[in-house]
Amino acid sequence: MGLNIQYLSKSFGETKAVQNLSITLEKGQVLGLLGRNGAGKTTTIKMILGLQTPNQGEITWDGSSLDRSKVSIGYLPEERGLYLKSKINEQLRYFGELEGMSRKQADDAIDYWLEKLEISNYKMKKANELSKGNQQKIQLIATLMHNPELIILDEPFSGLDPVNANLLTTIIEEQITAGKTVILSSHRMEQIENFCEQICLMKEGKAIVQGRLNEIKQNYGYRNLSLSSNKTIETALSEWNIPFETKHADVVIRVRNDKEAIQLLNRFEAHSIPIRNFKMLEPTLNEIFIERVG
Amino acid sequence: MGKFWTVFKFHLREAVTSKSFIIGNLITLIIIIGIFGFSHFSSKESKDKVAFINSTSYQTNIEQLNKGLDSIKLVSEEQRNLGKLKQQVKDGELDGIVEVKDNNGSPSLSYTYKSFADQELVAILTQKIQQIGINKTIAESRVDPNVAAKLLAPISVKNIALKDTTGTVGIVYVFVFLMYLLILGRGQMIANTITAEKASRVMEIMIPKVKPIFMMYGKILVQLVIGLADIVVMILGFLVSYALGWFNGNQFSLFGFQIDLSNLTPFIIACFIIYFVLGFLLYAIGYAAVGAVVSRTEDLGSVSFPIILCIMAAFFVGMTSIFSPASTLVTICSYIPVTSPIVTFSRILSGEAGYIEMGITIVILLASIAILNHLANRIYLNGVMNYSGKVKFKDVVQMAQKH
């Protein structure tokens, strides 16, 4: 049991933002909600948060209709800000109290998270005195300080420098280890790929690729046969009209399955073309993304 | 309701600890005390000084003349100094010269001033000097003084007002102005804080945490409290001036309006609070909706212009109602929601609106607030999540419709 979205649809006038979307996410799992701008990711998130009413379909949590007052959600929006003229501890306490925390619980959580993110010295400062990176840390605290069951992070890595991106990665991993259910929405496939067991790739409001990431990759329809590059291999492939790419010191050939790869390796052997090493690689999430929605 | 109070407390603390609130109220206090202080000291010590020259045979008593003048002090001067006195008027050392002359057996006056004549001085001196001239003529013509007195006696006019509202004019003026000022100022603040929340994108963090309606009413209630606090500060300035003895008794003058505090009954104060709160809510909800549809504070001016027009119309009709509270325009406007709070309050003070009118207007205002609240909720909810650049009237209508 966890989050269950069934046949969700939402239109704005003539525009169909989300069409017949169904997602099942068990508790403790991580979902990557992917897609280009305008694919319907943020509308889906807003419907989960109860900010927009679906035209059709339902969203349940543990079998009951998702009620924002009963399920603790931590949401980091794509467009995020702070009360610039307010002190950090005052606004974090305010955010905590709005999530049902007592003043003491909020204060304890503020101290814990400020120390964890190494910004305790900014506790009494106003938000406009902080750098953009530190403001983003405060926004992350506002998302996680009330220990939510369901965490929704919309483009969490946007605008972060490598150090802060690394810090955020560590924190997301900790939350996953702690058994939190997480939805990550992003364009940055390489960062999503590390966390997500499940993905939902959206295009024009529809889920076009959906399911467990490793199964999607295995059954995607091709694999990449990677060989250490040399002139003879490249010449032979050109003569046989087999398309290939050179990546760094490797030649990458797209094959439909293992059998096709072995046949190609046998052909190299039959022509006495030496092979120093080879690898069979699944397609990357980035490749799938570009091919399906690009 | 717990979240509503959390929102209210946060924004109230932000508002009362802000520099604008502290400095603004300090300035208000200083201005109020300053006005009364200036009025008190200027009336005592700084009367305009006007030279008075009489080289005729008409007998004038400068002390008697001065008794009739409130803001001017006549100083007796010689005709030979006229040139020097004119120079003093030019230099601003003297406020004017009045010279009594003989014009073929009748007295006449010559009044020299720098740029603006004092009409009070002209009116009073003309009357007094004319009387001196008449007396002299009567004496010289040997007319029986009793006959002369009868001939010159003015017709007596006895004013019988069945509904005397002159005493309330000053109070109406102050309260109408106060209501206009507070609704306009505080309403603008509501729109500003909402747009600022959108502009800084903190709204995105807030909307999943708390119902937008709580956020909207939290801010409206904070500004209402701040508006009432502004009134308390003004009363404080008034009380300080009173304690310092800068005005006495129940009557004083403010910007030319006589204010009689004996007219300020608990009923009037209750009416002011009722109509101020209703008017404030009506406009505040409008301002909140306006603040929610724009994404930048610089766009707020153009979108809030229709609301400003409404409140200015209410103010001008309110001002008209001071002197003609029974006119058709004023009567109709007292039933139109946007003008009703100011105009009806003014009519109540003038004695033109009774309990029935009060009841009807309160019901109209409550119904209007309920309808506006329904529309504003939708506009607010859809508006705060909309960051598109330019907002057209058509977009606002759509926001009010969709859910």
Side-chain angles (χ1 to χ4, degrees), chain B residues 164-175 238 247-254 256-265 268-269 349:
Chain B
D164 185 11
T165 58
T166 50
T168 62
V169 166
I171 300 264
V172 174
Y173 178 77
V174 169
F175 277 64
F238 182 81
F247 63 90
N248 298 311
N250 283 336
Q251 290 193 341
F252 61 96
S253 173
L254 196 66
F257 284 93
Q258 284 302 316
I259 292 172
D260 186 353
L261 291 180
S262 62
N263 285 307
L264 202 60
T265 59
I268 297 294
I269 294 170
L349 254 73

Side-chain angles (χ1 to χ4, degrees), chain A residues 8 23 44 59 66 70 109 112 118 139 156 200 207 242 248 284:
Chain A
L8 200 66
I23 296 171
T44 305
I59 303 168
L66 198 150
K70 289 178 187 160
Y112 168 79
E118 299 169 350
Q139 288 149 359
C200 176
I242 295 173
H248 310 295
T284 63

Side-chain angles (χ1 to χ4, degrees), chain A:
Chain A
M1 298 289 259
L3 183 71
N4 193 18
I5 296 172
Q6 289 291 318
Y7 311 113
L8 200 66
S9 294
K10 176 73 184 174
S11 300
F12 299 105
E14 296 295 306
T15 314
K16 290 176 179 172
V18 177
Q19 298 181 60
N20 228 16
L21 181 73
S22 295
I23 296 171
T24 303
L25 187 65
E26 294 294 325
K27 275 192 174 173
Q29 284 190 339
V30 186
L31 170 76
L33 197 58
L34 315 171
R36 294 180 66 184
N37 293 331
K41 306 186 299 288
T42 303
T43 306
T44 305
I45 289 172
K46 283 187 174 170
M47 285 191 279
I48 295 171
L49 292 167
L51 299 175
Q52 269 165 355
T53 315
N55 299 125
Q56 185 192 305
E58 63 168 356
I59 303 168
T60 60
W61 178 260
D62 282 351
S64 311
S65 186
L66 198 150
D67 183 349
R68 185 66 188 83
S69 62
K70 289 178 187 160
V71 184
S72 177
I73 302 177
Y75 172 53
L76 183 72
E78 182 182 3
E79 296 280 1
R80 41 194 184 254
L82 292 168
Y83 289 105
L84 295 175
K85 291 178 184 170
S86 301
K87 285 182 183 168
I88 295 302
N89 67 328
E90 285 174 3
Q91 58 184 308
L92 281 175
R93 189 187 297 138
Y94 175 48
F95 296 147
E97 284 177 350
L98 287 175
E99 293 291 353
M101 298 174 90
S102 68
R103 190 186 170 98
K104 186 173 183 318
Q105 284 171 330
D107 287 346
D108 289 347
I110 291 166
D111 289 339
Y112 168 79
W113 280 101
L114 288 176
E115 200 171 324
K116 188 176 178 68
L117 297 176
E118 299 169 350
I119 46 171
S120 296
N121 48 330
Y122 296 122
K123 186 178 172 181
M124 304 305 285
K125 298 254 187 216
K126 288 182 178 174
N128 59 7
E129 295 172 43
L130 270 62
S131 68
K132 198 181 170 204
N134 284 330
Q135 285 186 19
Q136 285 178 321
K137 288 181 180 176
I138 302 299
Q139 288 149 359
L140 185 67
I141 295 175
T143 308
L144 302 174
M145 66 182 287
H146 57 287
N147 199 22
E149 289 175 82
L150 175 62
I151 299 167
I152 302 173
L153 308 173
D154 197 354
E155 297 293 349
F157 295 98
S158 71
L160 290 183
D161 63 41
V163 177
N164 282 332
N166 200 37
L167 183 66
L168 178 61
T169 304
T170 311
I171 288 169
I172 294 173
E173 281 168 352
E174 282 176 9
Q175 295 294 317
I176 294 167
T177 311
K180 302 292 176 67
T181 310
V182 182
I183 297 176
L184 280 165
S185 164
S186 181
H187 299 114
R188 303 279 299 273
M189 298 303 128
E190 73 282 4
Q191 282 159 335
I192 289 283
E193 205 166 357
N194 296 333
F195 303 116
C196 299
E197 298 157 271
Q198 295 217 58
I199 62 154
C200 176
L201 187 56
M202 294 183 74
K203 185 180 183 183
E204 293 168 359
K206 293 178 191 159
I208 52 166
V209 177
Q210 195 175 4
R212 290 190 164 276
L213 184 57
N214 51 2
E215 287 172 10
I216 289 168
K217 284 182 170 182
Q218 275 172 15
N219 305 320
Y220 190 63
Y222 73 81
R223 291 185 185 198
N224 293 317
L225 174 64
S226 177
L227 308 167
S228 290
S229 176
N230 67 51
K231 225 24 181 181
T232 336
I233 290 176
E234 288 181 27
T235 312
L237 287 171
S238 299
E239 281 172 9
W240 300 337
N241 287 327
I242 295 173
F244 67 93
E245 275 182 86
T246 43
K247 285 184 181 171
H248 310 295
D250 291 338
V251 172
V252 181
I253 307 141
R254 191 172 285 188
V255 292
R256 278 193 295 277
N257 48 39
D258 295 355
K259 195 179 165 190
E260 191 181 324
I262 291 164
Q263 281 173 351
L264 186 61
L265 291 174
N266 288 339
R267 200 170 174 183
F268 282 125
E269 195 186 4
H271 287 80
S272 305
I273 298 168
I275 295 167
R276 285 187 9 239
N277 61 53
F278 71 91
K279 281 181 281 187
M280 280 292 279
L281 300 170
E282 288 168 339
T284 63
L285 187 54
N286 199 45
E287 282 174 317
I288 296 172
F289 184 88
I290 289 167
E291 282 166 20
R292 298 306 299 268
V293 301

Side-chain angles (χ1 to χ4, degrees), chain B residues 322-338:
Chain B
I322 293 175
F323 301 105
S324 50
S327 72
T328 312
L329 173 76
V330 171
T331 310
I332 291 170
C333 285
S334 73
Y335 295 103
I336 298 172
V338 290

